[in-house]
Amino acid sequence: MLEPWQAAGVNTVIGSPAQFSAFLREAGEGLADRIGAAMVGGGKPSERFLHSLFTCFKTVTVFYGSTEMGHAADTRITDQAGFDGGLTPIADMVYIEVVDDADQALPTGSEGRIRIRGTLGTPSYVNERLSVENTIRDGWFYLGDI
């Protein structure tokens, strides 16, 4: 299952604990040459889950508070034994603005559309329909919320 990914140069896989659990079941006992990094969302992974991840990946990053524009905290683990479960907050992770219909920032307390931009932002979606609807443009993610 993983050999085509390695041949294509995949070096990072991102997913939820449930997605990685399914991934690991299909991968079997791991790889001779592990993929570079796993990024798994949510809280502290169990010891058993981490052990399974390290059969396929060289490093594991646990992150929390994920949006299209990045995540709020993370910890990169290169040695399972050294992981204490703590997550390090990321400073200036997301910028939030309330804007008018011309995308001009509004003063605090004003009603308008919410947009966010992050340091690790997603440049686009694979689904072209979302791009056509301008969900992500000019580095900003438009939530659709007022």
Side-chain angles (χ1 to χ4, degrees), residues 10 15 19 24 27 47 53 60 84 87 93 100 103 108-109 113 119:
V10 170
Q19 289 168 320
L24 291 166
E47 237 178 85
L53 285 172
V60 175
D84 65 4
L87 299 175
M93 188 260 332
D100 61 20
D103 292 338
T108 301
R113 291 180 297 124
T119 56

PDB file of all heavy atoms in Angstrom, residues 10 15 19 24 27 47 53 60 84 87 93 100 103 108-109 113 119:
ATOM      1  N   VAL A  10       6.225  11.016  -1.410  1.00  0.00           N
ATOM      2  CA  VAL A  10       5.441  11.488  -0.265  1.00  0.00           C
ATOM      3  C   VAL A  10       6.323  11.437   0.976  1.00  0.00           C
ATOM      4  O   VAL A  10       6.956  10.424   1.252  1.00  0.00           O
ATOM      5  CB  VAL A  10       4.178  10.618  -0.067  1.00  0.00           C
ATOM      6  CG1 VAL A  10       3.486  10.947   1.259  1.00  0.00           C
ATOM      7  CG2 VAL A  10       3.224  10.801  -1.236  1.00  0.00           C
ATOM      8  N   GLY A  15      -3.479  13.213   9.250  1.00  0.00           N
ATOM      9  CA  GLY A  15      -4.780  12.595   9.461  1.00  0.00           C
ATOM     10  C   GLY A  15      -5.202  12.591  10.910  1.00  0.00           C
ATOM     11  O   GLY A  15      -4.453  12.979  11.803  1.00  0.00           O
ATOM     12  N   GLN A  19      -8.197   7.908  11.103  1.00  0.00           N
ATOM     13  CA  GLN A  19      -7.632   7.711   9.762  1.00  0.00           C
ATOM     14  C   GLN A  19      -6.297   6.981   9.838  1.00  0.00           C
ATOM     15  O   GLN A  19      -6.023   6.091   9.036  1.00  0.00           O
ATOM     16  CB  GLN A  19      -7.469   9.055   9.054  1.00  0.00           C
ATOM     17  CG  GLN A  19      -8.790   9.678   8.659  1.00  0.00           C
ATOM     18  CD  GLN A  19      -8.641  11.120   8.221  1.00  0.00           C
ATOM     19  OE1 GLN A  19      -7.884  11.892   8.807  1.00  0.00           O
ATOM     20  NE2 GLN A  19      -9.389  11.494   7.186  1.00  0.00           N
ATOM     21  N   LEU A  24      -2.777   2.253   9.345  1.00  0.00           N
ATOM     22  CA  LEU A  24      -1.841   1.296   9.936  1.00  0.00           C
ATOM     23  C   LEU A  24      -2.322  -0.144   9.767  1.00  0.00           C
ATOM     24  O   LEU A  24      -1.513  -1.052   9.574  1.00  0.00           O
ATOM     25  CB  LEU A  24      -1.619   1.620  11.413  1.00  0.00           C
ATOM     26  CG  LEU A  24      -0.855   2.920  11.666  1.00  0.00           C
ATOM     27  CD1 LEU A  24      -0.981   3.328  13.126  1.00  0.00           C
ATOM     28  CD2 LEU A  24       0.597   2.808  11.240  1.00  0.00           C
ATOM     29  N   ALA A  27      -1.345  -0.986   6.289  1.00  0.00           N
ATOM     30  CA  ALA A  27       0.104  -1.002   6.083  1.00  0.00           C
ATOM     31  C   ALA A  27       0.757  -2.253   6.637  1.00  0.00           C
ATOM     32  O   ALA A  27       1.862  -2.605   6.245  1.00  0.00           O
ATOM     33  CB  ALA A  27       0.733   0.235   6.719  1.00  0.00           C
ATOM     34  N   GLU A  47       0.491   5.110  24.072  1.00  0.00           N
ATOM     35  CA  GLU A  47       1.817   4.526  23.828  1.00  0.00           C
ATOM     36  C   GLU A  47       1.765   3.515  22.687  1.00  0.00           C
ATOM     37  O   GLU A  47       2.636   3.488  21.823  1.00  0.00           O
ATOM     38  CB  GLU A  47       2.303   3.830  25.102  1.00  0.00           C
ATOM     39  CG  GLU A  47       3.624   4.342  25.605  1.00  0.00           C
ATOM     40  CD  GLU A  47       4.013   3.636  26.898  1.00  0.00           C
ATOM     41  OE1 GLU A  47       4.602   2.535  26.807  1.00  0.00           O
ATOM     42  OE2 GLU A  47       3.732   4.196  27.960  1.00  0.00           O
ATOM     43  N   LEU A  53       2.667   4.000  14.915  1.00  0.00           N
ATOM     44  CA  LEU A  53       3.038   5.065  13.973  1.00  0.00           C
ATOM     45  C   LEU A  53       4.527   5.016  13.633  1.00  0.00           C
ATOM     46  O   LEU A  53       4.918   5.198  12.482  1.00  0.00           O
ATOM     47  CB  LEU A  53       2.676   6.438  14.538  1.00  0.00           C
ATOM     48  CG  LEU A  53       1.202   6.805  14.527  1.00  0.00           C
ATOM     49  CD1 LEU A  53       0.964   8.104  15.303  1.00  0.00           C
ATOM     50  CD2 LEU A  53       0.679   6.930  13.109  1.00  0.00           C
ATOM     51  N   VAL A  60       6.749  11.867  14.352  1.00  0.00           N
ATOM     52  CA  VAL A  60       5.310  12.032  14.531  1.00  0.00           C
ATOM     53  C   VAL A  60       5.094  13.409  15.150  1.00  0.00           C
ATOM     54  O   VAL A  60       5.734  13.748  16.147  1.00  0.00           O
ATOM     55  CB  VAL A  60       4.727  10.938  15.459  1.00  0.00           C
ATOM     56  CG1 VAL A  60       3.255  11.196  15.731  1.00  0.00           C
ATOM     57  CG2 VAL A  60       4.949   9.552  14.866  1.00  0.00           C
ATOM     58  N   ASP A  84       6.191  13.404  26.574  1.00  0.00           N
ATOM     59  CA  ASP A  84       5.477  13.515  27.843  1.00  0.00           C
ATOM     60  C   ASP A  84       4.003  13.888  27.666  1.00  0.00           C
ATOM     61  O   ASP A  84       3.285  14.055  28.641  1.00  0.00           O
ATOM     62  CB  ASP A  84       6.161  14.529  28.749  1.00  0.00           C
ATOM     63  CG  ASP A  84       6.108  15.949  28.191  1.00  0.00           C
ATOM     64  OD1 ASP A  84       5.476  16.179  27.134  1.00  0.00           O
ATOM     65  OD2 ASP A  84       6.695  16.842  28.831  1.00  0.00           O
ATOM     66  N   LEU A  87       1.839  19.686  24.573  1.00  0.00           N
ATOM     67  CA  LEU A  87       1.777  20.352  23.277  1.00  0.00           C
ATOM     68  C   LEU A  87       2.228  21.793  23.452  1.00  0.00           C
ATOM     69  O   LEU A  87       1.892  22.442  24.434  1.00  0.00           O
ATOM     70  CB  LEU A  87       0.346  20.317  22.716  1.00  0.00           C
ATOM     71  CG  LEU A  87      -0.246  18.926  22.473  1.00  0.00           C
ATOM     72  CD1 LEU A  87      -1.693  19.038  22.030  1.00  0.00           C
ATOM     73  CD2 LEU A  87       0.563  18.173  21.439  1.00  0.00           C
ATOM     74  N   MET A  93      -0.501  32.003  15.401  1.00  0.00           N
ATOM     75  CA  MET A  93      -0.923  30.950  14.483  1.00  0.00           C
ATOM     76  C   MET A  93      -1.935  31.445  13.474  1.00  0.00           C
ATOM     77  O   MET A  93      -1.829  31.163  12.301  1.00  0.00           O
ATOM     78  CB  MET A  93      -1.507  29.786  15.289  1.00  0.00           C
ATOM     79  CG  MET A  93      -1.799  28.552  14.492  1.00  0.00           C
ATOM     80  SD  MET A  93      -3.431  28.121  13.918  1.00  0.00           S
ATOM     81  CE  MET A  93      -4.659  28.714  14.905  1.00  0.00           C
ATOM     82  N   ASP A 100     -16.015  43.739   5.461  1.00  0.00           N
ATOM     83  CA  ASP A 100     -17.248  44.080   4.752  1.00  0.00           C
ATOM     84  C   ASP A 100     -17.272  43.372   3.397  1.00  0.00           C
ATOM     85  O   ASP A 100     -16.393  42.552   3.098  1.00  0.00           O
ATOM     86  CB  ASP A 100     -17.382  45.600   4.607  1.00  0.00           C
ATOM     87  CG  ASP A 100     -16.254  46.241   3.805  1.00  0.00           C
ATOM     88  OD1 ASP A 100     -15.546  45.540   3.034  1.00  0.00           O
ATOM     89  OD2 ASP A 100     -16.069  47.461   3.931  1.00  0.00           O
ATOM     90  N   ASP A 103     -14.152  43.345   1.356  1.00  0.00           N
ATOM     91  CA  ASP A 103     -13.002  42.743   2.050  1.00  0.00           C
ATOM     92  C   ASP A 103     -12.158  43.759   2.809  1.00  0.00           C
ATOM     93  O   ASP A 103     -10.964  43.549   3.030  1.00  0.00           O
ATOM     94  CB  ASP A 103     -12.119  41.939   1.088  1.00  0.00           C
ATOM     95  CG  ASP A 103     -12.804  40.694   0.557  1.00  0.00           C
ATOM     96  OD1 ASP A 103     -13.760  40.229   1.212  1.00  0.00           O
ATOM     97  OD2 ASP A 103     -12.385  40.191  -0.498  1.00  0.00           O
ATOM     98  N   THR A 108     -13.641  46.791  15.630  1.00  0.00           N
ATOM     99  CA  THR A 108     -14.099  45.857  16.652  1.00  0.00           C
ATOM    100  C   THR A 108     -15.559  46.129  16.987  1.00  0.00           C
ATOM    101  O   THR A 108     -15.957  47.285  17.118  1.00  0.00           O
ATOM    102  CB  THR A 108     -13.238  45.997  17.925  1.00  0.00           C
ATOM    103  OG1 THR A 108     -11.887  45.726  17.579  1.00  0.00           O
ATOM    104  CG2 THR A 108     -13.688  45.035  19.015  1.00  0.00           C
ATOM    105  N   GLY A 109     -16.352  45.065  17.091  1.00  0.00           N
ATOM    106  CA  GLY A 109     -17.757  45.197  17.433  1.00  0.00           C
ATOM    107  C   GLY A 109     -18.673  45.303  16.230  1.00  0.00           C
ATOM    108  O   GLY A 109     -19.886  45.273  16.366  1.00  0.00           O
ATOM    109  N   ARG A 113     -18.278  39.630   7.567  1.00  0.00           N
ATOM    110  CA  ARG A 113     -17.844  38.261   7.276  1.00  0.00           C
ATOM    111  C   ARG A 113     -16.516  37.993   7.970  1.00  0.00           C
ATOM    112  O   ARG A 113     -15.627  38.840   7.981  1.00  0.00           O
ATOM    113  CB  ARG A 113     -17.695  38.065   5.760  1.00  0.00           C
ATOM    114  CG  ARG A 113     -19.033  38.090   5.040  1.00  0.00           C
ATOM    115  CD  ARG A 113     -18.908  37.905   3.536  1.00  0.00           C
ATOM    116  NE  ARG A 113     -18.146  39.007   2.961  1.00  0.00           N
ATOM    117  CZ  ARG A 113     -17.042  38.861   2.216  1.00  0.00           C
ATOM    118  NH1 ARG A 113     -16.588  37.668   1.922  1.00  0.00           N
ATOM    119  NH2 ARG A 113     -16.406  39.906   1.754  1.00  0.00           N
ATOM    120  N   THR A 119      -0.227  30.938   9.597  1.00  0.00           N
ATOM    121  CA  THR A 119       1.164  30.784   9.193  1.00  0.00           C
ATOM    122  C   THR A 119       1.390  29.491   8.424  1.00  0.00           C
ATOM    123  O   THR A 119       2.364  29.365   7.707  1.00  0.00           O
ATOM    124  CB  THR A 119       2.080  30.809  10.430  1.00  0.00           C
ATOM    125  OG1 THR A 119       1.647  29.789  11.341  1.00  0.00           O
ATOM    126  CG2 THR A 119       2.016  32.159  11.124  1.00  0.00           C
TER     127      THR A 119
END
